[in-house]
Amino acid sequence: MTVCRHRNLALLPEKKDRVRCCHCHLTISADELGDGYCPECYEIDGRKRYDFEAVAAEKNGKVRYRCEECGAVIECE
């Protein structure tokens, strides 16, 4: 096991609100939807389904960083 001093940190973006498909339960951000239908349902059975439910992002007030050297995620208030 190596000891990392976490000297090279990258700020991770805040989690955005997401939507969940009511049929296959794929969870995806609204920005990734593109044409508005579920890409998973379309790929599996060729149907364009537009039924989604909102999934709120967790708002805990913490800032998250990832160490670029070892991959550890560090949370700070």
Side-chain angles (χ1 to χ4, degrees), residues 3-77:
V3 178
C4 183
R5 293 184 174 252
H6 309 303
R7 292 184 181 174
N8 189 8
L9 298 177
L11 178 64
L12 295 175
E14 288 185 26
K15 294 181 179 178
K16 297 181 180 179
D17 290 341
R18 302 173 72 79
V19 293
R20 180 183 298 126
C21 176
C22 294
H23 301 277
C24 73
H25 306 291
L26 171 72
T27 304
I28 189 171
S29 73
D31 298 339
E32 294 176 290
L33 275 179
D35 295 328
Y37 58 86
C38 177
E40 188 76 12
C41 287
Y42 185 70
E43 184 176 324
I44 291 171
D45 58 355
R47 295 177 127 175
K48 293 183 179 181
R49 295 188 170 151
Y50 299 89
D51 302 327
F52 294 93
E53 60 186 4
V55 178
E58 219 177 87
K59 308 283 184 194
N60 59 9
K62 295 183 180 179
V63 178
R64 296 178 343 141
Y65 298 93
R66 182 182 63 241
C67 178
E68 293 293 312
E69 295 173 16
C70 71
V73 175
I74 301 163
E75 288 187 355
C76 301
E77 290 188 37

